[in-house]
Amino acid sequence: MLIYEQSRPGRHAPAQAPQEMADLSAIPESLRREQSAKLPEVSEMQAVRHYTRLSQKNFSIDTHFYPLGSCTMKYNPRAGNSLASLPGLLARHPHAPETHSQGFLACLFDLQEILKQVTGMHAVSLTPAAGAQGEFAGVAMIRAYHDARGDAQRTEILVPDAAHGTNPASAVMCGYAVREIPTGSDGDIDVDALKQVLGPQTAGIMLTNPSTVGVFERRIEEIAQLVHAAGGLLYYDGANLNAILGKVRPGDMGFDVIHMNLHKTFSTPHGGGGPGAGPVGVSQRLEPYLPIPMVDFDGHDYRWLTEDDRPHSIGRLSAFAGNAGVLIRAYIYARMLGRDGMHRVSEFSTLNANYLLKRLMEAGFDAAYPERRASHEFILTLKRQAKELGVNTMDFAKRLLDYGVHAPTTYFPLLVPECLLIEPTETEAKEELDRFIEVMQIIQQEAQTDPEQVKQAPHSLPVKRLDDVRAARELDLTWVK
Amino acid sequence: MLIYEQSRPGRHAPAQAPQEMADLSAIPESLRREQSAKLPEVSEMQAVRHYTRLSQKNFSIDTHFYPLGSCTMKYNPRAGNSLASLPGLLARHPHAPETHSQGFLACLFDLQEILKQVTGMHAVSLTPAAGAQGEFAGVAMIRAYHDARGDAQRTEILVPDAAHGTNPASAVMCGYAVREIPTGSDGDIDVDALKQVLGPQTAGIMLTNPSTVGVFERRIEEIAQLVHAAGGLLYYDGANLNAILGKVRPGDMGFDVIHMNLHKTFSTPHGGGGPGAGPVGVSQRLEPYLPIPMVDFDGHDYRWLTEDDRPHSIGRLSAFAGNAGVLIRAYIYARMLGRDGMHRVSEFSTLNANYLLKRLMEAGFDAAYPERRASHEFILTLKRQAKELGVNTMDFAKRLLDYGVHAPTTYFPLLVPECLLIEPTETEAKEELDRFIEVMQIIQQEAQTDPEQVKQAPHSLPVKRLDDVRAARELDLTWVK
Amino acid sequence: MPFIPHTEEDIREMLAVIGVDSIDELFDEIPPGLRCGTLDKIPEGLSEMEISRLMQARAKEDGQPLCFIGAGAYDHHIPAAVWQLATRGEFYTAYTPYQAEASQGTLQLLYEFQSMMTALTGMDVSNTSLYDGASALAEAVLMAVRANRKSKSKRILVPRTLHPSYRKVVDAIVRNQQIELVEVPYDQVSGRTNLVELDGFSGEDFAALVIPQPNFFGVLEPVDELTDWAHANGMLTIGVVNPLALAILKPPGEWGVDGADICCGEGQPLGAPLASGGPYFGILCSTQKLVRQMPGRIIGRTLDLDGKTGYALTLQAREQHIRRSKATSNICTNQGLVVTAATIHMALLGAQGLERTAAACLASTQKLTEALTSLQGVEPVFEGAVFHEKVLRLPISPKDALKLLAAHNLLGGYDLGGEYPELGNAVLVCATELRTDDDIETYRSKLERVIQTQIQTPCQLKPDW
Amino acid sequence: MPFIPHTEEDIREMLAVIGVDSIDELFDEIPPGLRCGTLDKIPEGLSEMEISRLMQARAKEDGQPLCFIGAGAYDHHIPAAVWQLATRGEFYTAYTPYQAEASQGTLQLLYEFQSMMTALTGMDVSNTSLYDGASALAEAVLMAVRANRKSKSKRILVPRTLHPSYRKVVDAIVRNQQIELVEVPYDQVSGRTNLVELDGFSGEDFAALVIPQPNFFGVLEPVDELTDWAHANGMLTIGVVNPLALAILKPPGEWGVDGADICCGEGQPLGAPLASGGPYFGILCSTQKLVRQMPGRIIGRTLDLDGKTGYALTLQAREQHIRRSKATSNICTNQGLVVTAATIHMALLGAQGLERTAAACLASTQKLTEALTSLQGVEPVFEGAVFHEKVLRLPISPKDALKLLAAHNLLGGYDLGGEYPELGNAVLVCATELRTDDDIETYRSKLERVIQTQIQTPCQLKPDW
Ligand SMILES: Cc1ncc(COP(=O)(O)O)c(C=O)c1O
Ligand SMILES: Cc1ncc(COP(=O)(O)O)c(C=O)c1O
């Protein structure tokens, strides 16, 4: 039932509003609202009960195993929320003067330094609000760099066909044309194909390593050399940083610019769709272009770096300084991990992924790249099942829900047919992985003996399989009485 | 699955403990533990996930209609928890000096004053930790009073047969014998029977009004007069204060002592079994005996009243000052209600109860006291259904759970056979009541057409009907590997 | 090992299954020369107790000054229930609802959010958030450029009364696509966009006109005239609104004859704490006609196999994960959790609650204005009706005044000197419903002393009262 | 109408159904003379915003002094997860689990709690809480009197080293049943119960001996000897323990040859904040033999109709709602929510976490003792090994010292002058794992100045540094 369906004219939660209606006469009639907005009219308890019950209809990290590939659904330490919600932090106005911001700025500065360390980049700006905005900022810096050199012919950004959709979309938002690079059958980029498209029109390439097919791009040094030789820059999509934290640094691999998804690697919660934080790190030559504001420290005081300090900046990406509260959570997590904890993230996420891959292969599932090590994630393809049993990846995914497991990422990357991208993360215990394997085997069995059971799944959730086509065709986007 | 079943030797949540194990050598070996306690060994995420999922297996006010008679399951304003958890309040040590306690003491003092007002009593002590401890304190004061007068012959406390079990149990804890008074067929006390048992051995009588059968004791003035004339005192069990808040005051009815259940009337949460707070209020003659500590205000400063100030006190009931955090929540609620809000509590809880009673009677259910007004609660008897259909109150109760309604109180008070004690409270909307009526009708229908459906209920909960007999016979009280 | 559940035995067993001797071997595809060593400069890990101590100290360090700044972020009462519910694990730690059946909680809530936003704005459709108000405006501009088929120019009219940061953000985002922002001046008396000067642009090719309501000065713009003028000149209109103000102001859907085409704004006043500027959320609504040009997530109501109502992401063909380089935007992660909070906030306040809050803000700002202008030399700069904030001229340098006030733990407003030097000693002050009469009197009396001291001994560095 | 959902229309319809004209008519059974008027002296209702402001001001008023008091309530790290989970609506707003099938969350958790408590105490069974440590001891005493069939005396031996408030509470509760508490003196050198003097009671009829571990002075008692002595003399033994200390101390179940019979204690160190003294929770465990004498809720594991495991209240025949005047106690509502928190706390810390915490407390108290006794004239009073706290003698009046320290926002300990005048200028100090070396140095240096000043100019009212 919608909250609107519990609404009754004249019902309220009056403790939540000023007790009286103040005078509006200072506002000219012509600018005033004639009719009250149609918001729900419910009691305080009705709202609390409604949203409490709604929440119970979600799968989440706090309730379910959630091996959603590329999304790094790991444990979000609860201290992050408590400490980011300390009254002093919640009450701070974004325009508070630096005299009243030293504690807050110290956290941001420290975080900048930590991110520089783990990425091997020269400088970091924290301001992008999510991964995609980080990508935008990164590509915009590549553009600013070429522009500053008067190098106007570079109109193209290269993107592997396996790349996350935000990569090409971000390049386009920066005014670039996008050209796709194919992935080889071993999961690495097809370097020959790359060579053929590199040229004076190449502004740069966007990679993630380990790539979105879940393997480490072994020829990364050669690729970096080729792109640089062609005058292009290398962009690192850091959504997969979880895989390599403390093991290999994008800066050392030759990347010029990187964004990080703190809401993945640094374990700030996803909140059912955000907020995130997508800081960018750059090599020395891109530093002047970093988005503002950034935080500086002179040994005594912390201060904002703004337009005056950074005239070549690509500018501001949000009205204030991005998702400050997410940055604080990431900072807390980073400090709790410490230097050794960083290593453990990649070690155990990789251990979990390789274990899961191996056991699933033993159980008869097909890996997309069976010869390769898994990174923190890996791909299965259910092509065979789809062909032989008529049970496809979507069906497997939905049936997993019935067993209390959130489905892995499905049908991404696009180049692997009927794929499942599986990322267990380092915070899941072996028993949980074993249970996943068991459930996958059960579903495989069901697919053979009772395929309809799988194809009609889920059966035990608040709704059965939803009609997406209808949703798009008969658009119903708002409640109308 | 128990948390113990997720335990693995050597697994930990190390962020939660000091990083190193300090030296224990200061403690003689002979006093040390030899083997670590068998506590679960789980990761932080496992604990979070386990208890989050467990919580989802509860019915609660925040998720379900919960018309549990005598328990006043109404909305617990969420501000109570936030504000009682302000760092300054959470960090205050119970032995903090008065110089560092003025804010806290001011809340307690104000609460004492408010409770005096609504009960019409002369003085209030907040310290009892729950209703039963309030009862103990109240009866102990009655005893202290008689003792102080050298009136040693009073050995008996009178209790109506409908009374809550804590009443006789508390009287016994104070060293009294208990004598039951029958309830008349109209729900009022049998005054003739009362007259017969009153005498020089009568220390007092414990009543609640409206009584636990859900009606107002109309002859209360006469009863008060009779008891007082016999030299006894009148105790008011304030668990039902919700019914009369702002309408009639126990002090005005002639009661000498009262306890209140703040976790009912003043809407602090029940927490799956507590904590509560059971302040006691007294008439002037009992004031010297109030339990300590209490809070005093001299116009400038707040201070504790202790042994020195109150030499005749019955003493202390807890190591510090009772459930301070519950008192703070009750204070917040009381201030949000304000004087008018107090009236509304009784008005709308009574409106809801009478509406529900009337509609259920129209639907063919039998009221225990059909001629009477309901107070904030009322009793149905399913005697007829039990006899004619073999479907008893327990079955109805369990089947209600399937429809997402917590069962009313069953088989209490003991004098009404196959009874349901139903208390909707003032915070439930009419639609919720209408739905309850509808569900009751459906179950009545089911009882006629498919009684097994009802007798086997619940069907849709985490477990089916549990075997209580087995639980008591084959005692399994702790996990053993 | 914080957050790692593996026991020694688990590790041994898992390595054996994989067939390697050590975890390190799992990284053998990384060229050895690239392997990094220890991360020496990163401090050692802290326990929760230790990080708590650190964060408590840092949070305390910044004090909790009495705040009279608005300028895009407003200090409002947020019901305790809002964040207690929003931070429930099931909301807090869920991903974007890709698996609809396992995310009905979030999806239904977002559908309710869309319904509430369209109710508040009077528009047909709403997405489920962009990063913040400023980036939402950038997306609105991109949307307008795509949608206005009549216009070829990629030019947008942007009033100088629009929040300066919004102008910067929009420029930073859209200039890469060769979109040009053209400034419209304002009237120095009223503080509103200058209709006469605007009319000078008549007949030129612009894709859209941006209309802030209220504008950065708190002043209410003549939205009907602006909307009609834009439409008459073949432009789309983009409203930039404060959603709380919309509880009492005419909604963009009703501006002028035809209503605005797009409306965006900062969602923060609907339940997000100040929190140093984020996370907040960007609102984006439009007419039904433009729905396929919208960026971001949109939720649709649909049916399941049994014909039961359910909710799902819809129109995904607009989005990057399907459409890649042809998507309406690159946005992926948005501000879901804050939207969750805002939805609960709106459900709790209802229209009446928001109206009362907005009216109380109006009254507070009026009181503040009266209190401060009672001081010699302090005067209002503009005539126009305002919401949330007011521009005042001080008899001394706002920079010095604000600094001295801050030294007394009071944040006196936003110094307009940097962005609007033409206004002289102007400062933008704000008082929401949370500021009491006492607070306002505190400000008045402190400002009085600051002015006295500064006029007597200007530029004194350390005030000595 | 805060918290009342009724619309005018609802009210009209409902009154019509009932057949009355007004709500007031529903109260017509109350004798008119008794009806009270308006509650004038109660202030008018506050909105949540207003009460928030008030409570924030009051909470702030009390400061957050640096705290070195223990004396029964200890400041420990509580994982953030603990109360975030415990205050989830489903735990926070549920009633006592009378309907087992609809309360499996709480019931299973309580069964886990019982398992954890028996693990920690080494006893056979645990209930699911009493009000606090002191009232738990009172119940333990009543239980012992009922259970010890050999004893006729209704007398209990209680060491003077037991927390003075506990002695008072027990007396207040049990004296109505003519139970007498007889004090056992302590040894002035070791701070332990005096075994020699105790032996003087040999052969007398007592129902039980109470054994605090650690005792109120923080000193560890010779629990084996005490237990064996009691058993040899036909008494039951009641341990009064600090559950955190049990992570490193011998559990009551293993005291002496046969173990204690009953053990109780204050649960606060397991996840309850100081919070002015409550809500905390009382622990009560016993041998299997005594389970039917236990007061309070007990949860049993059982099966459902399908043979599936489930949990339910059990042995209810002990309780007031079934047994009424013959119940083992009057307790009904207990401290469920705090028990919920404690269960989560113990799951998060595990045995290792509790051991480390306990050891860290030991180390902190040791450091504090060293730091303070480095001051001229400050010296330890007792020789015995301690946990959590230590008795120190000051060269000045503790009352003055504590007052002056408090004026500097430091709470220096618990003044023993009132309860133990025989100890001279004695103060009980405590440093948990939360007190850092810096904190301890702060205390040392402040105390140094206080002593200096007091010795030079005793009883000065306002210190002037
Ligand atoms: C590989 C990859 N790149 C980029 C992104 C985009 O990040 P965001 O969703 O924070 O915008 C994601 C996550 O969705 C991702 O998985
Ligand atoms: C009528 C009545 N009296 C007394 C009590 C005892 O109160 P408590 O459970 O707080 O001890 C209750 C509640 O359980 C009750 O309903």
Side-chain angles (χ1 to χ4, degrees), chain B residues 69-71 129-133 135 163-167 208 212 237-240 259 261 263-264 276-278 412, chain D residues 95 98 131 297 320 330-334:
Chain B
S70 199
C71 299
Q133 205 180 49
E135 292 174 20
H164 194 263
T166 49
N167 291 187
T208 175
T212 27
D237 174 344
N240 289 351
H259 88 266
N261 274 14
H263 43 307
K264 298 182 176 176
F412 173 83
Chain D
Y95 202 79
Y98 289 136
Y131 303 129
R297 313 285 183 199
Q320 47 72 30
N330 67 340
I331 194 166
C332 176
T333 290
N334 56 26

Side-chain angles (χ1 to χ4, degrees), chain C residues 84-390:
Chain C
Q84 285 186 34
L85 294 173
T87 56
R88 283 173 58 84
E90 301 94 318
F91 284 136
Y92 190 64
T93 72
Y95 202 78
T96 300
Y98 289 136
Q99 290 293 342
E101 297 84 358
S103 312
Q104 286 296 298
T106 286
L107 285 163
Q108 182 180 329
L109 180 144
L110 292 175
Y111 177 88
E112 293 178 359
F113 171 78
Q114 291 174 176
S115 304
M116 294 178 190
M117 288 319 306
T118 52
L120 216 42
T121 60
M123 307 297 291
D124 299 325
V125 294
S126 169
N127 79 359
T128 62
S129 82
L130 296 163
Y131 303 129
D132 76 342
S135 69
L137 177 56
E139 292 280 9
V141 163
L142 293 174
M143 202 176 151
V145 169
R146 285 194 301 272
N148 192 340
R149 301 276 159 78
K150 283 181 267 169
S151 165
K152 298 275 158 291
S153 74
K154 289 187 150 195
R155 292 202 308 162
I156 304 283
L157 279 175
V158 179
R160 188 166 163 73
T161 60
L162 177 71
H163 195 306
S165 294
Y166 282 44
R167 286 184 273 138
K168 289 179 194 166
V169 170
V170 174
D171 183 48
I173 294 177
V174 308
R175 73 161 166 257
N176 293 297
Q177 295 186 51
Q178 278 71 52
I179 294 168
E180 190 194 341
L181 309 181
V182 177
E183 192 174 284
V184 184
Y186 63 88
D187 179 74
Q188 302 259 350
V189 177
S190 67
R192 287 190 285 263
T193 296
N194 194 320
L195 291 173
V196 180
E197 298 204 47
L198 179 67
D199 216 36
F201 293 109
S202 245
E204 287 188 45
D205 181 6
F206 289 95
L209 168 68
V210 172
I211 307 176
Q213 181 72 327
N215 69 27
F216 185 59
F217 303 137
V219 174
L220 300 182
E221 295 278 0
V223 290
D224 293 329
E225 291 83 346
L226 290 167
T227 304
D228 289 342
W229 179 89
H231 285 160
N233 284 279
M235 304 172 199
L236 296 178
T237 48
I238 304 173
V240 183
V241 296
N242 176 329
L244 175 62
L246 289 187
I248 54 171
L249 296 184
K250 184 183 281 189
E254 297 174 15
W255 290 356
V257 177
D258 296 325
D261 302 285
I262 304 174
C263 110
C264 62
E266 174 52 66
Q268 180 270 333
L270 299 176
L274 288 175
S276 298
Y280 298 169
F281 68 97
I283 294 163
L284 189 67
C285 296
S286 77
T287 56
Q288 186 76 39
K289 221 170 70 186
L290 300 184
V291 65
R292 286 188 162 74
Q293 292 301 340
M294 273 237 171
R297 314 283 182 199
I298 296 177
I299 313 305
R301 178 153 65 169
T302 184
L303 299 177
D304 75 0
L305 282 180
D306 291 350
K308 190 174 158 193
T309 297
Y311 304 86
L313 289 169
T314 195
L315 298 180
Q316 296 190 64
R318 300 163 299 109
E319 293 194 64
Q320 46 72 31
H321 63 285
I322 305 291
R323 223 19 183 297
R324 304 179 67 84
S325 64
K326 300 200 175 49
T328 52
S329 163
N330 68 340
I331 194 165
C332 176
T333 291
N334 56 26
Q335 305 290 111
L337 187 69
V338 198
V339 168
T340 304
T343 306
I344 301 169
H345 185 88
M346 286 188 277
L348 281 166
L349 272 91
Q352 194 195 67
L354 292 179
E355 284 163 23
R356 288 186 176 197
T357 303
C361 289
L362 206 65
S364 290
T365 303
Q366 238 157 341
K367 280 188 210 161
L368 179 65
T369 303
E370 278 159 31
L372 299 187
T373 55
S374 75
L375 298 175
Q376 180 91 41
V378 179
E379 51 193 35
V381 172
F382 300 122
E383 278 174 2
V386 298
F387 180 78
H388 248 163
E389 41 212 334
K390 183 91 180 172

Side-chain angles (χ1 to χ4, degrees), chain A residues 70 130-132 135 164 166 212 237 239 261 263-264, chain C residues 95 332-333:
Chain A
S70 201
E135 293 174 21
H164 194 264
T166 50
T212 27
D237 174 345
N261 274 14
H263 43 308
K264 298 183 176 176
Chain C
Y95 202 78
C332 176
T333 291

Side-chain angles (χ1 to χ4, degrees), chain B residues 357 360-361 364-370 378-387 391-393 396 409 411 413 415-422 440 444:
Chain B
L357 170 60
L360 284 168
M361 285 170 68
F365 288 94
D366 300 330
Y369 303 100
F378 62 92
I379 302 181
L380 294 187
T381 169
L382 301 178
K383 202 169 49 180
R384 196 162 42 82
Q385 287 85 341
K387 212 167 96 193
V391 172
N392 65 16
T393 294
F396 261 81
T409 298
Y411 300 104
L415 66 144
V416 184
E418 296 295 336
C419 70
L420 282 174
L421 178 58
I422 304 175
M440 284 292 284
Q444 169 73 23

Side-chain angles (χ1 to χ4, degrees), chain A residues 79-92:
Chain A
N81 186 46
S82 306
L83 297 175
S85 305
L86 286 168
L89 292 174
L90 281 193
R92 190 182 163 279

